[in-house]
Amino acid sequence: MAIPENTTVLSVLIVEDNPGDLFLLQETLRLTKLPFKQIYKAASVAEAIANLAEHEIDLVLLDLSLPDSSGFNSYLQINEYASAVPIIVLTGLSDTELALETMSEGAQDYLVKGEYDERLLAKSIQYSIERNRIRLSLIESNESYRNLFFNNPLPIFIWDLENLSILEVNEIAHAEYGYTREEMLAMTILDLRAEEFYERIVAFAKKFRETDISKSSGIWELKKKNGETMILDISSHKIDYKGRAAILAIQNNITEKVRLEEKLEEERLLKQKEINEAMIRGQEKERNEISTELHDNVNQQLTVAMMYIASAQQKCPDGSDLLKQSSGFILNAIEEIRKLSQILVTPLIKHFGLSKAIEGLLDDVSAVNTIQVDLTADLFFEEDIKYDFKLSIFRMVQEQMNNILKHSKATTVNIELMRNDQLIYLKIADNGVGFDVNQQRKGIGIYNIISRADLYNGIVDIQTSPGAGCGIHITFPLEKAILA
């Protein structure tokens, strides 16, 4: 990112108690190439306040979770001593609503940890400093209002709270939207939004009219004259404009920032999918290796042991009962190893298909348990489906059946496997004890099911509650990854 020639040398205060996050932030600051005079660090609100008192700070980068304060209170304490300093809030993905709340109270911007790079950070710093300068100018001098309004580098609107008509715009606003000033003054703010957002903006105006709220910040989608959509962070202030209740709206175009965050999230999900795929392939490889070892090595050794016992029975007839009993134990072990080997490599899928493989699995379950299991797969056509996907479906059924046998105390299980022109649908439902999905953490079985579903863009819906059984519903779109 090119550095503006008029960018001043900055003194920055980083308020962060996590050494790892602090290191990453310092490195990213270095990569921005922005001119920094000094970077001060504080690990608590108390240290931050001391730094603000001792040094001239141009920008604060604030983590809200600190040893001596947390959440919104951290911002309020820092802002009390840095009301004239731009503050950028650092937050996690789960705390974006809290970050937006701080922005409504005066914070200039927020960044999601792990979701920004040096380019986005530099842009956020420059915009935050500029927005803060604008904010201070509005507070300090009403006399310079017209110059500040019309020559501001950020788009500014004034619109009527009653009829939503646009009362005034600055130069950059109508230039960015592609209209002339005259065209915009003949419009309402509804004309800049898609119809699905009309209800939201009407409710927004009503809230300002009927309550004591005087300012608000939020993310909005607006459209240019050519139909292009922009994502804007709009800071709205209730004002009196020529005797009319109005909103002064300062807009910050964050389209590039949002698109970058979406791209980073897509890359993160893709990386996670690659990790899950590698993990599942590793599991299948390990299953095959164990199965081969059991069949080719352990079973062979047990067979040899049987031969020795048979020989011993002939030579030592006095110990034939014990030898016969030992022979029975070994035969049972060989049979159990054979069954385990079959479960590990699931040969039925390749030879007889997925439906038959699941039937075989359920027959084995029913043979040693009193649970009643019903399978419905009449509408499942699998001839054009890849083996890897069939194996994933089999493993999901296997995982959930293990969960049911271990934890559910169920007496009946219903499994449905269906397909239409667009989707493949798998349902596994039991009448067991169920659980509270909001309190109980997902075990490794559920995690494996979700991981396998993610590989094929599947959506997992778990419907359960205490005493009401558990139903797992998984839908897969028919895509190239599934079809052979």
Side-chain angles (χ1 to χ4, degrees), residues 15-26:
V15 189
E16 173 62 75
D17 67 320
N18 185 297
D21 290 342
L22 176 61
F23 174 79
L24 290 175
L25 180 55
Q26 286 182 285

Side-chain angles (χ1 to χ4, degrees), residues 206-378:
K206 182 178 179 181
K207 184 178 180 180
F208 267 91
R209 288 196 309 267
E210 298 180 358
T211 68
D212 294 332
I213 187 172
S214 61
K215 60 182 178 180
S216 177
S217 293
I219 308 300
W220 297 81
E221 286 189 17
L222 285 87
K223 59 182 181 180
K224 297 182 179 182
K225 186 176 183 178
N226 62 8
E228 180 183 342
T229 298
M230 297 183 294
I231 303 174
L232 303 172
D233 179 6
I234 302 180
S235 179
S236 301
H237 302 263
K238 186 176 182 179
I239 63 171
D240 181 277
Y241 183 76
K242 299 180 179 179
R244 303 165 74 171
I247 290 293
L248 182 146
I250 304 174
Q251 302 182 354
N252 179 21
N253 192 335
I254 59 171
T255 306
E256 184 179 348
K257 173 184 174 180
V258 172
R259 298 287 184 258
L260 178 58
E261 289 178 347
E262 290 174 349
K263 182 179 179 182
L264 289 171
E265 178 64 11
E266 288 176 1
E267 292 174 352
R268 185 190 69 80
L269 292 175
L270 180 60
K271 188 68 176 178
Q272 185 61 48
K273 182 179 285 189
E274 291 173 352
I275 293 172
N276 289 342
E277 186 174 4
M279 179 187 69
I280 289 171
R281 285 178 178 173
Q283 288 177 349
E284 294 301 329
K285 181 181 178 182
E286 186 177 27
R287 286 172 184 263
N288 285 321
E289 290 174 351
I290 293 173
S291 175
T292 302
E293 179 67 17
L294 290 173
H295 183 272
D296 296 345
N297 188 4
V298 178
N299 259 6
Q300 295 301 321
Q301 293 184 37
L302 289 174
T303 301
V304 171
M306 284 286 295
M307 294 172 60
Y308 275 98
I309 289 176
S311 177
Q313 283 179 310
Q314 294 177 356
K315 294 179 180 179
C316 302
D318 294 339
S320 61
D321 289 342
L322 290 175
L323 292 171
K324 185 177 181 180
Q325 190 175 14
S326 298
S327 178
F329 288 145
I330 293 176
L331 280 173
N332 289 337
I334 291 174
E335 180 62 20
E336 290 300 319
I337 289 174
R338 184 189 67 79
K339 290 180 179 178
L340 179 59
S341 179
Q342 288 179 343
I343 291 173
L344 288 171
V345 297
T346 58
L348 289 176
I349 292 180
K350 287 187 175 179
H351 294 294
F352 303 107
L354 175 60
S355 298
K356 290 296 183 182
I358 294 176
E359 286 181 10
L361 169 67
L362 300 181
D363 288 342
D364 291 340
V365 170
S366 299
V368 294
N369 295 276
T370 59
I371 191 169
Q372 178 183 341
V373 186
D374 295 320
L375 171 65
T376 302
D378 300 338

Side-chain angles (χ1 to χ4, degrees), residues 185-198:
L185 293 180
M187 299 165 63
T188 72
I189 55 172
L190 293 177
D191 298 322
L192 301 176
R193 289 164 167 80
E195 288 188 14
E196 60 261 34
F197 300 114
Y198 285 3

Side-chain angles (χ1 to χ4, degrees), residues 58-125:
D58 301 306
L59 176 72
V60 176
L61 298 170
L62 173 63
D63 177 22
L64 296 178
S65 298
L66 299 168
D68 56 348
S69 181
S70 63
F72 190 66
N73 189 50
S74 298
Y75 170 76
L76 290 178
Q77 292 188 68
I78 297 297
N79 191 52
E80 183 178 354
Y81 293 87
S83 59
V85 179
I87 298 175
I88 299 176
V89 171
L90 307 174
T91 183
L93 279 172
S94 61
D95 296 323
T96 53
E97 289 187 5
L98 178 59
L100 289 173
E101 185 179 357
T102 63
M103 290 184 65
S104 69
E105 292 298 322
Q108 297 305 313
D109 201 358
Y110 78 95
L111 293 171
V112 178
K113 291 183 179 181
E115 300 293 328
Y116 62 86
D117 57 6
E118 68 275 9
R119 189 163 169 262
L120 187 58
L121 179 59
K123 188 172 183 179
S124 179
I125 289 173

